[in-house]
Amino acid sequence: MSVNGKKVLHMDRNPYYGGESSSITPLEELYKRFNLPDTPPESMGRGRDWNVDLIPKFLMANGLITDMVWLMTIMRCNLFECVIAGQLVKMLLYTEVTRYLDFKVVEGSFVYKGGKIYKVPSTETEALASNLMGMFEKRRFRKFLVFVANFDENDPKTFEGVDPKTTTMRDVYKKFDLGQDVIDFTGHALALYRTDDYLDVPCLETVNRIKLYSESLARYGKSPYLYPLYGLGELPQGFARLSAIYGGTYMLNKPVDEIVMEGGHVVGVKSEGEVARCKQLICDPSYIPDRVRKAGQVIRVICILSHPIKNTNDSNSCQIIIPQNQVNRNSDIYVCMISYAHNVAAQGKYIAIVSTTVETSEPEAEIEPALELLEPIDQKFVAISDLYEPTDDGTESQVFASRSYDATTHFETTCNDIKDIYKRMTGSDFDFENMKRKQNDVFGEDEQ
């Protein structure tokens, strides 16, 4: 909004950036936040070496990156000359927030089957080598991946009898005679769906999702995910710096006492006896409890480990997806693991965060299959959070509430919410190209 010429005041009741999705440092603060009576043991190392995310997320990228820029990604992540399909990465690129951030590639993506974890196969070679499937299933899955790789929604010759606008994904799976286990990891670990609702809608989006994942992995060889050094708390700080350059004002540790309304429209925010006047207001649900409704719960368990997760090739970072059908649930369980290699933990330490949508009255029992994969665990921090969504679209009051962060380990659903808010605020769709800076911006650089 600042880059686009809006006058922006950002108020946060917290003394740190990021709100619900902040990274907590030092480690002593995490212990206090979860009301643990003891201070961290000496084995945890120096407290200031820790930056622990409260909401585990990875950034989804795609493989349309030149080799030179890919090298820059590893070394410095100056990404503004490349094309990335993950929505948050696009936003970072086009606003050039990447000038403030460094990233590393997440080392692996795994899927759970029958109590064990396996690397997610997304290429023909990996499909044939995977222990996730039997011999005949491998051949059928390979044919499916060839179809996906060749698929071009603008070229009917690549459809192979499938109409992408009418044929359901369930029928596509039937066409290639894929079994339930293969359908599970394809839909949830490749296409990244949270439920099986996608099976009975036209297949175009799903095929493109799988194609994106495969292209990403073909380029990177490890996973299609990126993670910022020093934790996700670096993301809001990067946007704060950019906004400030364009005249935006940030006020941390600033309480919000009242949302001032006149005639049903927002006109300001009152804080410590002063009123900041405004025409529009964006906030998370905690600031306007009377304008949101509960839409469920999510459980997140932060686990500190002294070892990489077993059967992940000793990866310093990885994602594990436990498909719903594997554990008789209605939604997936996610494991997001990072480590000292990302400057978020003391030397030799790992942070694994388990998350899922709560479905029963015993949330901790629901994530037991994931916790078993992480043993032994040095310390656990359990949080059960309510999920909120706005009760109206905000166009009348001009008060726009975001949705709570869901259990997924990527930012795609959050970015969809951002684009939805943008459209309701401005009346037009969010356009990534319009987010690019003008020539000769404040840094004196030409548009890339």
Side-chain angles (χ1 to χ4, degrees):
M1 289 296 184
S2 295
V3 172
N4 286 343
K6 300 291 185 182
K7 191 174 182 179
V8 176
L9 169 63
H10 184 121
M11 299 169 60
D12 195 327
R13 66 165 74 95
N14 299 300
Y16 47 80
Y17 291 99
E20 189 183 10
S21 63
S22 61
S23 300
I24 301 300
T25 187
L27 186 60
E28 289 79 4
E29 286 298 317
L30 187 69
Y31 273 66
K32 289 180 183 177
R33 187 181 186 94
F34 283 86
N35 299 315
L36 293 184
D38 300 323
T39 57
E42 291 186 8
S43 61
M44 294 292 185
R46 297 184 304 178
R48 63 179 179 273
D49 288 339
W50 294 81
N51 292 280
V52 183
D53 298 329
L54 296 178
I55 307 289
K57 300 282 184 183
F58 289 141
L59 285 74
M60 181 76 174
N62 103 326
L64 302 177
I65 305 179
T66 65
D67 289 334
M68 184 162 77
V69 176
W70 170 236
L71 178 60
M72 293 167 70
T73 305
I74 298 175
M75 301 304 296
R76 289 292 302 167
C77 201
N78 292 323
L79 290 172
F80 47 82
E81 292 183 23
C82 68
V83 180
I84 302 282
Q87 295 185 84
L88 179 56
V89 180
K90 276 187 176 181
M91 293 177 185
L92 294 172
L93 294 177
Y94 290 148
T95 57
E96 292 189 21
V97 170
T98 48
R99 69 171 64 242
Y100 308 112
L101 301 168
D102 293 336
F103 291 88
K104 289 192 75 170
V105 181
V106 175
E107 294 185 6
S109 185
F110 299 85
V111 66
Y112 178 98
K113 176 191 173 187
K116 298 181 180 180
I117 57 175
Y118 301 85
K119 189 179 188 303
V120 176
S122 62
T123 65
E124 302 166 44
T125 302
E126 286 190 342
L128 293 175
S130 176
N131 292 325
L132 196 55
M133 300 167 282
M135 181 184 302
F136 296 111
E137 191 83 90
K138 288 178 181 180
R139 293 177 180 175
R140 292 193 290 268
F141 185 59
R142 178 184 176 277
K143 289 181 180 179
F144 171 75
L145 288 177
V146 171
F147 161 73
V148 171
N150 294 332
F151 179 83
D152 180 350
E153 61 183 288
N154 298 313
D155 183 2
K157 295 179 182 178
T158 67
F159 292 177
E160 296 186 20
V162 172
D163 185 338
K165 294 183 179 180
T166 61
T167 305
T168 66
M169 200 61 208
R170 190 185 300 276
D171 288 335
V172 173
Y173 289 144
K174 287 181 181 178
K175 172 182 172 65
F176 290 93
D177 196 22
L178 299 182
Q180 186 59 51
D181 287 343
V182 177
I183 291 173
D184 283 346
F185 77 71
T186 301
H188 296 264
L190 295 182
L192 300 179
Y193 286 108
R194 292 178 289 167
T195 70
D196 282 344
D197 294 345
Y198 79 97
L199 287 170
D200 297 309
V201 298
C203 66
L204 177 59
E205 180 182 355
T206 302
V207 172
N208 281 332
R209 283 187 179 209
I210 299 169
K211 188 179 181 73
L212 164 62
Y213 190 104
S214 299
E215 289 175 348
S216 302
L217 204 61
R219 170 64 65 177
Y220 303 161
K222 291 185 177 181
S223 85
Y225 301 108
L226 303 174
Y227 183 81
L229 296 182
Y230 301 101
L232 294 174
E234 293 296 293
L235 294 176
Q237 290 189 60
F239 279 105
R241 295 184 187 113
L242 180 71
S243 179
I245 288 171
Y246 282 86
T249 301
Y250 269 67
M251 302 177 73
L252 297 179
N253 210 16
K254 187 68 171 173
V256 174
D257 301 325
E258 181 186 352
I259 308 300
V260 183
M261 308 290 292
E262 291 180 3
H265 303 278
V266 65
V267 295
V269 177
K270 187 176 182 179
S271 175
E272 299 177 315
E274 298 179 312
V275 176
R277 310 290 291 188
C278 67
K279 296 179 180 179
Q280 293 180 308
L281 176 69
I282 311 171
C283 58
D284 73 45
S286 67
Y287 288 94
I288 48 171
D290 59 327
R291 294 179 179 272
V292 295
R293 58 175 169 257
K294 185 176 175 180
Q297 287 185 310
V298 60
I299 180 173
R300 298 182 178 92
V301 181
I302 301 170
C303 302
I304 296 179
L305 315 176
S306 295
H307 58 87
I309 298 174
K310 293 185 288 290
N311 301 315
T312 62
N313 301 318
D314 292 334
S315 297
N316 285 324
S317 59
C318 69
Q319 174 184 254
I320 303 171
I321 294 179
I322 303 179
Q324 59 185 62
N325 291 329
Q326 290 294 320
V327 284
N328 298 315
R329 289 174 47 80
N330 297 318
S331 52
D332 296 345
I333 302 173
Y334 301 89
V335 179
C336 167
M337 196 269 284
I338 61 276
S339 68
Y340 64 93
H342 305 84
N343 300 333
V344 297
Q347 184 67 29
K349 295 294 184 179
Y350 301 77
I351 303 170
I353 307 179
V354 179
S355 59
T356 192
T357 302
V358 173
E359 297 180 2
T360 72
S361 59
E362 298 181 354
E364 290 190 56
E366 296 183 45
I367 46 89
E368 194 59 37
L371 295 179
E372 290 176 356
L373 299 175
L374 308 181
E375 295 290 353
I377 299 171
D378 296 344
Q379 181 65 57
K380 289 191 300 186
F381 306 86
V382 181
I384 300 173
S385 306
D386 291 337
L387 297 176
Y388 293 100
E389 61 185 15
T391 55
D392 61 83
D393 64 8
T395 54
E396 180 67 27
S397 65
Q398 291 296 292
V399 176
F400 302 92
S402 61
R403 296 172 178 268
S404 302
Y405 290 102
D406 62 26
T408 60
T409 51
H410 54 79
F411 276 105
E412 297 303 289
T413 51
T414 302
C415 290
N416 289 336
D417 188 32
I418 291 171
K419 293 193 297 183
D420 183 49
I421 291 174
Y422 182 92
K423 184 173 183 178
R424 285 184 275 130
M425 290 183 67
T426 65
S428 60
D429 289 326
F430 185 92
D431 186 341
F432 285 112
E433 295 297 325
N434 286 339
M435 291 301 293
K436 290 185 177 179
R437 294 183 178 179
K438 307 299 180 183
Q439 288 183 330
N440 301 317
D441 65 10
V442 293
F443 295 105
E445 299 172 352
D446 291 336
E447 186 178 25
Q448 298 294 337

